[in-house]
Amino acid sequence: MQATPARRVPVALRLGADLMIGMAAALGQAPWGLWPATVLALAALIWRVATAPSSRAAAWRALAIGAGHFALALAWITQPFLVEADRYGWMSPFALLLTALGGALFWALPALAAHRLGWNRASRAAALALALLVSDWLRGWIFTGLPWALTGHVWIDTPAGQIAAWLGAPGLSALTLAAALLPVLGSTPRNIATGAGLSAALIALTWGAGLARLAQPLPPDQPQIIRLVQPNADQTLKWDPFWAPQFYDRLTALSALPLDPALGEGRPDLVVWPETAVPFLLNEAGPALEDIAAHSGATTLVGIQRAEGAAWFNSLAEFTPDARIGAVYDKFHLVPFGEYIPWGDALARFGITAFAARHGNGYSRGPGPQVMAVEGLPTFQPLICYEAIFERHLLRGQRPEWILQVTNDAWFGTWSGPYQHLAQARLRAIQSGLPLLRAANTGVSAVIDARGDVRATLALNREGVLDAPLPEALPPTLWWRWGDLPMLALMALAVAALAIARRNRRGH
């Protein structure tokens, strides 16, 4: 009897399945936090690539799975284009498509390389997990970097996330990919079950290490009381001539609220307004200095724009209680297309300008990371919005005592973006052992302690103030002392081991 040939699965069905695998991999990200879905989906990715009949097929499979992952994880990317929908709305679907495919290339290229480097299913699987780990790290650097929705971010809200204090974000990604890889290495049901058990043991081990770190007592809080002001200024109305003065009045009124009696009497030691909080330039702030000082009754850090000739800056400025301008910090890592336009002159011909900057030509870059000193307060490192997603921007050589992030997450919509941004701020606190406070225009404003625990928040799309004592810092973490060097060394050793194994196999 002639054997019936196996039916070939239609291309559309395979593509749909791969896209669904990718979307499942995104479910571990905030706000969903379903990290088991990410581990299982990445195991499916590794298996699909390792069993592909060719390197080209492996790359196409990874591209489809990666596109599904980034389309869901970065779906908020459409929101900035909808703020001025009549002008930029047409870009929204293209932004999502290009972002999904651009992110997917960071999975497809490792799949292509892994399939060519491996000599069987297990070696290809191991090579892919390693290549994805390297790709995760590179994504924070290439084209100025976008280390958003890394595979390791799924652990931030779990005890396992504490290993970032030792191994940083690459350590979290290594945990995710190792847990996904181990079951795929097996070739029999028994070996697969053994791999799954080892995966569970690895997660349990890191979970336990995280619990042990969380069980250690924290030092007492600092005596200073910080007020974070959340005005909840709708981005579509923020610069409207009618609404802008009302939002400014809201900021001053919130700043003037009495202190919570449970925290003491008098005024806060510091009042913080979010990114680009006011409708005027720092150059024109003279009339507002006394007004803000009178309402706040304390030093006020104001997110504000300033100009130097034709150059505009997205800045954080100190307004002193005696109505002077003190220290000023200028944002230096700008958002491509949002705050500046790559190839700006050419794209301007098509009407494409920096939509997030009130100056059509975009912002200029500040000089770089710095530590700010405000009288009566411990020194701190300011980060403006997007800068907080880059671990490399933390000033490890000049250790501050806390980190301050001012941001306008109204650009990220209300679904996933603000929560993912908050999660990455928590990761900076875990890595550094420094408390992080964030003042967000529409939320989520938060007080985060030196282990990344959120002590207090102001919910999304709510106006109000958050008064809290400044948490104390922990001693410098291993990551703070060495950065990503330990993980980069381990990654280099793994690559070398794979290369040696391949060469030895060829020798036989």
Side-chain angles (χ1 to χ4, degrees):
M1 179 180 293
Q2 187 174 2
T4 304
R7 288 187 177 182
R8 185 175 179 82
V9 180
V11 173
L13 188 59
R14 281 182 283 145
L15 176 61
D18 284 340
L19 288 171
M20 293 297 292
I21 291 172
M23 295 177 75
L27 293 177
Q29 302 291 335
W32 309 291
L34 300 175
W35 59 264
T38 296
V39 173
L40 291 173
L42 290 177
L45 162 68
I46 294 172
W47 180 82
R48 288 280 289 153
V49 169
T51 57
S54 67
S55 57
R56 178 179 295 182
W60 280 112
R61 290 178 180 185
L63 186 73
I65 295 172
H69 172 267
F70 289 103
L72 179 56
L74 302 182
W76 54 264
I77 201 70
T78 61
Q79 296 301 309
F81 300 92
L82 301 178
V83 171
E84 297 181 57
D86 56 336
R87 186 177 181 185
Y88 298 111
W90 64 272
M91 300 181 187
S92 180
F94 298 102
L96 180 58
L97 178 63
L98 291 174
T99 300
L101 291 177
L105 285 175
F106 284 88
W107 289 17
L109 294 177
L112 181 68
H115 202 276
R116 290 180 176 177
L117 289 172
W119 55 90
N120 57 23
R121 184 173 62 81
S123 62
R124 289 167 182 163
L128 176 60
L130 178 58
L132 287 173
L133 177 59
V134 174
S135 178
D136 252 13
W137 183 80
L138 288 174
R139 191 148 57 84
W141 294 85
I142 294 176
F143 302 125
T144 78
L146 184 63
W148 199 294
L150 300 179
T151 54
H153 286 172
V154 302
W155 306 105
I156 294 172
D157 196 36
T158 73
Q162 294 296 310
I163 67 169
W166 303 299
L167 299 176
L172 296 182
S173 292
L175 169 61
T176 314
L177 292 163
L181 169 67
L182 287 169
V184 183
L185 292 175
S187 57
T188 66
R190 183 173 181 177
N191 289 341
I192 292 171
T194 299
L198 290 173
S199 176
L202 175 63
I203 295 172
L205 179 65
T206 53
W207 201 283
L211 287 173
R213 184 170 190 263
L214 290 170
Q216 298 299 313
L218 285 170
D221 293 337
Q222 298 268 17
Q224 294 86 2
I225 303 298
I226 312 296
R227 168 167 290 178
L228 306 174
V229 180
Q230 184 169 300
N232 194 32
D234 189 308
Q235 191 61 41
T236 60
L237 303 173
K238 188 175 179 184
W239 307 115
D240 182 274
F242 173 78
W243 280 100
Q246 297 192 49
F247 291 139
Y248 172 76
D249 290 343
R250 187 181 296 177
L251 284 160
T252 56
L254 290 170
S255 299
L257 290 175
L259 194 65
D260 183 343
L263 296 174
E265 299 178 354
R267 304 297 302 156
D269 297 282
L270 177 69
V271 177
V272 184
W273 291 7
E275 179 188 18
T276 58
V278 295
F280 49 82
L281 294 173
L282 182 61
N283 315 57
E284 306 163 351
L289 287 172
E290 291 189 5
D291 182 45
I292 293 173
H295 283 85
S296 296
T299 297
T300 304
L301 294 175
V302 178
I304 193 170
Q305 300 170 102
R306 71 179 190 90
E308 285 185 9
W312 281 43
F313 297 89
N314 184 354
S315 305
L316 181 69
E318 176 192 2
F319 285 26
T320 67
D322 57 352
R324 293 181 298 104
I325 296 173
V328 177
Y329 167 75
D330 296 321
K331 184 177 183 180
F332 69 93
H333 198 135
L334 304 177
V335 181
F337 299 100
E339 294 178 314
Y340 79 100
I341 297 292
W343 316 289
D345 292 341
L347 292 178
R349 298 175 184 175
F350 300 93
I352 299 175
T353 58
F355 59 82
R358 298 312 301 165
H359 184 50
N361 295 330
Y363 293 123
S364 297
R365 292 178 176 85
Q370 68 183 62
V371 170
M372 287 184 74
V374 172
E375 186 177 354
L377 287 159
T379 58
F380 64 95
Q381 180 180 355
L383 298 169
I384 298 180
C385 190
Y386 185 70
E387 291 175 331
I389 73 173
F390 296 93
E391 61 180 12
R392 69 178 189 265
H393 292 334
L394 294 180
L395 273 172
R396 300 202 312 277
Q398 184 183 2
R399 184 172 170 85
E401 297 180 67
W402 59 292
I403 301 168
L404 174 65
Q405 181 193 17
V406 295
T407 185
N408 180 15
D409 286 4
W411 289 109
F412 299 145
T414 60
W415 188 37
S416 60
Y419 300 105
Q420 291 172 5
H421 202 199
L422 171 64
Q424 291 175 84
R426 295 179 63 187
L427 181 55
R428 300 292 87 82
I430 296 170
Q431 290 175 279
S432 64
L434 296 174
L436 187 149
L437 278 65
R438 70 190 314 256
N441 170 33
T442 55
V444 178
S445 298
V447 177
I448 302 168
D449 71 22
R451 290 195 297 235
D453 281 342
V454 178
R455 290 192 175 182
T457 62
L458 274 173
L460 202 62
N461 296 329
R462 173 186 166 190
E463 65 179 84
V465 298
L466 194 58
D467 294 337
L470 177 64
E472 179 62 90
L474 289 169
T477 62
L478 178 67
W479 181 88
W480 187 271
R481 296 181 185 278
W482 293 99
D484 289 339
L485 284 178
M487 277 303 303
L488 291 176
L490 291 173
M491 289 155 60
L493 288 173
V495 170
L498 184 65
I500 291 170
R502 178 178 173 80
R503 186 184 63 184
N504 292 340
R505 182 171 180 81
R506 281 185 171 181
H508 289 294

